[in-house]
Amino acid sequence: MSTVLINCGPIVHVDSNVPITGQDMLDDKWIIAKGEAIVIEDSQIKDIGNSLEILDDYQSHDSNEVNIIDVYGKAIIPGIIDSHTHMVWGGDRSREVRWKQQGNTYSDIANMGGGIVSTVNSTRSLSEADLYAIAKQRMMHALKNGTTHIETKSGYGLDTKTEMKLLRVAKQLRDDNITPSVDSTWLGAHAIPDNHTLDSYTEEIITQQLPHVAEAKLARSADVFCEPGWFGIDESEQILKAAKSHGMNLRMHIDEFSDGGGGELAAKLRVDTADHAHYTSEENRDKMTKAEVSTGFLPGTPYSMGSDWPDFNSMIENNHLWTIATDFNPNNQILSMPFVASCIVQRCGVDPLAALVASTINPSFTTPHPTGMRHGVIAKGAVANLNILNSKHWESWCLTPGHSPISANILNGQYNNYEY
Ligand code: NIG
Ligand code: FE
């Protein structure tokens, strides 16, 4: 079955074989002028070319074999990649917003019985089927907002049994063809569970949890919440090195609340991406760049926590490689990549094209598509994941923070229409 999109508006293809950095992030060469058509066969982009010529070729085909869709000049962007989320958990931490407003910090709230460990308690009590149903609904919301691929982490189990349960749910989501594709990460080192010390839990992670996870091949990568007060540099290094010895890829949470030196460790271990990285020093950012470590900014977190913003534009000026992602989690329930892009574009002066590069092609290198095909680009041979916007202007992709800018999208060649 083929789908042909005709009369496309501007197409932002971002078709690059390497991540895009510096002033290249703002270059109009990534945009094809209006009037083109996109041909999709099964789950792959087959051709991009002149609308009239392609229409000529396909008009004579049997309508059961070809679905011709007139886009009426609407702008088209690639399927968006959300490269850092926590999708699988249950419970509700809404009451923490008032605790925060009363002056309690993130760690105060953890000590008051809220925070990560409270989500762990609610998550442990839910069945696999319940968790799957909850996470699937979240994934479908993300898809309506343009996300076609999601990296998701465990981390609300904090014991072998529950971490494995969360990773099995992620696998179920991965095998499900109607939700965005899934790249699964094990985050056993997310917090210290009750009745453990940092040392005893680090030991348990390395000797018990990790071998189970690695043997079951349920996660492509391992992640650690490396932050003063959670996992320090030494524990993070031990856990990540152990994960590497089991053949896993590495990711990190670093410098969310202060500069704890996680950037230096990220560079030393050459992890794929070090995320949050809000308070990372310029010296450590340079080390990360030299080691080809991507910085994963999570603008929803400062938005939800009411803190200031990192300096995104200095990343462009200094040619650092960076991405953005939602960090959807119980403390930051944002499933919309266009919303987090709006934060950096409308609040921090980042060019909307740079924000799109940071949401598509750049994260495609830290979270590959499960088929091995290219994604996050509109190019021949790439997976057929793309978004048709409501507007003829591609910039609109991140300018409607209260609602989705997407009129329809294509996921693995499958057309979903959201117009009503
Ligand atoms: O990436 N900071 C650590 N982990 C999550 C938050 C988890 C939570 O508060 O439940 C994050 O922001
Ligand atoms: Fe996170």
Side-chain angles (χ1 to χ4, degrees):
M1 176 76 189
S2 306
T3 302
V4 181
L5 303 179
I6 56 160
N7 297 324
C8 296
I11 301 171
V12 188
H13 59 80
V14 288
D15 179 11
S16 168
N17 287 319
V18 289
I20 303 172
T21 57
Q23 294 304 316
D24 240 17
M25 294 181 91
L26 322 179
D27 199 316
D28 284 355
K29 70 184 175 194
W30 306 119
I31 305 166
I32 307 173
K34 65 180 183 188
E36 299 288 280
I38 301 174
V39 180
I40 290 159
E41 263 176 46
D42 301 320
S43 61
Q44 207 170 26
I45 297 175
K46 273 282 139 87
D47 199 9
I48 302 164
N50 180 278
S51 251
L52 293 175
E53 286 169 18
I54 286 182
L55 195 57
D56 240 21
D57 279 358
Y58 280 84
Q59 234 159 10
S60 55
H61 285 56
D62 183 339
S63 62
N64 288 326
E65 282 167 24
V66 184
N67 183 17
I68 296 177
I69 297 169
D70 194 332
V71 171
Y72 297 110
K74 288 177 179 167
I76 302 199
I77 62 169
I80 300 171
I81 297 176
D82 192 349
S83 54
H84 180 135
T85 77
H86 308 250
M87 283 287 164
V88 190
W89 50 270
D92 189 338
R93 303 213 324 251
S94 303
R95 59 190 184 149
E96 289 177 16
V97 70
R98 300 181 79 200
W99 299 356
K100 226 180 293 173
Q101 287 168 348
Q102 287 154 7
N104 296 294
T105 64
Y106 188 76
S107 25
D108 294 337
I109 290 172
N111 293 329
M112 288 160 75
I116 296 174
V117 172
S118 94
T119 304
V120 168
N121 293 333
S122 21
T123 302
R124 283 181 182 168
S125 67
L126 288 169
S127 70
E128 217 159 304
D130 286 344
L131 286 166
Y132 171 73
I134 294 169
K136 182 172 173 180
Q137 215 170 42
R138 293 173 181 155
M139 305 276 288
M140 294 311 280
H141 277 299
L143 178 62
K144 279 188 198 159
N145 281 280
T147 298
T148 52
H149 177 86
I150 289 178
E151 184 269 1
T152 185
K153 305 168 197 301
S154 66
Y156 290 102
L158 306 188
D159 59 28
T160 306
K161 185 173 139 227
T162 321
E163 285 295 307
M164 293 288 282
K165 177 167 80 175
L166 303 188
L167 292 170
R168 280 196 302 273
V169 171
K171 180 177 180 328
Q172 233 181 310
L173 292 164
R174 192 181 69 202
D175 295 343
D176 175 346
N177 214 22
I178 64 159
T179 55
S181 51
V182 170
D183 180 20
S184 189
T185 299
W186 165 67
L187 176 61
H190 195 194
I192 319 299
D194 289 341
N195 305 321
H196 281 79
T197 61
L198 174 60
D199 284 349
S200 72
Y201 187 54
T202 302
E203 159 101 20
E204 181 180 312
I205 282 180
I206 294 173
T207 58
Q208 293 174 38
Q209 237 179 77
L210 172 60
H212 271 92
V213 170
E215 201 198 335
K217 297 209 179 322
L218 282 172
R220 192 181 67 86
S221 312
D223 196 337
V224 172
F225 185 20
C226 174
E227 185 82 21
W230 276 267
F231 293 85
I233 299 293
D234 288 351
E235 295 81 18
S236 301
E237 183 165 2
Q238 282 172 45
I239 295 165
L240 290 168
K241 279 185 169 163
K244 193 169 184 188
S245 75
H246 282 278
M248 296 173 84
N249 279 52
L250 307 181
R251 312 173 85 84
M252 290 176 78
H253 285 67
I254 62 163
D255 304 337
E256 178 177 357
F257 307 117
S258 62
D259 181 5
E264 190 171 17
L265 180 61
K268 182 176 164 189
L269 299 179
R270 294 182 163 262
V271 304
D272 292 337
T273 180
D275 299 354
H276 286 295
H278 191 141
Y279 296 102
T280 309
S281 65
E282 194 49 43
E283 192 189 338
N284 285 347
R285 293 203 194 284
D286 281 339
K287 288 184 183 163
M288 286 168 62
T289 293
K290 285 200 184 85
E292 296 181 6
V293 175
S294 181
T295 293
F297 286 120
L298 310 172
T301 312
Y303 172 85
S304 300
M305 306 282 284
S307 55
D308 58 359
W309 306 97
D311 187 353
F312 303 100
N313 277 330
S314 76
M315 298 293 283
I316 298 177
E317 284 150 26
N318 296 325
N319 292 303
H320 296 311
L321 166 58
W322 60 284
T323 63
I324 56 172
T326 62
D327 192 24
F328 175 83
N329 72 59
N331 189 43
N332 172 53
Q333 297 200 48
I334 298 172
L335 289 163
S336 163
M337 285 291 290
F339 175 78
V340 291
S342 152
C343 291
I344 73 167
V345 170
Q346 297 189 291
R347 307 300 305 166
C348 308
V350 174
D351 185 295
L353 185 53
L356 189 59
V357 165
S359 308
T360 53
I361 175 73
N362 281 1
S364 77
F365 293 97
T366 74
T367 177
H369 194 265
T371 58
M373 282 198 278
R374 294 178 72 205
H375 68 152
V377 293
I378 298 179
K380 274 188 209 177
V383 64
N385 284 349
L386 55 83
N387 288 296
I388 301 163
L389 302 181
N390 281 315
S391 162
K392 294 183 174 175
H393 299 280
W394 64 267
E395 296 89 336
S396 69
W397 88 275
C398 57
L399 302 181
T400 57
H403 64 275
S404 173
I406 311 299
S407 132
N409 54 22
I410 293 189
L411 174 72
N412 296 320
Q414 197 73 36
Y415 182 70
N416 298 301
N417 192 351
Y418 304 113
E419 271 176 3
Y420 54 88

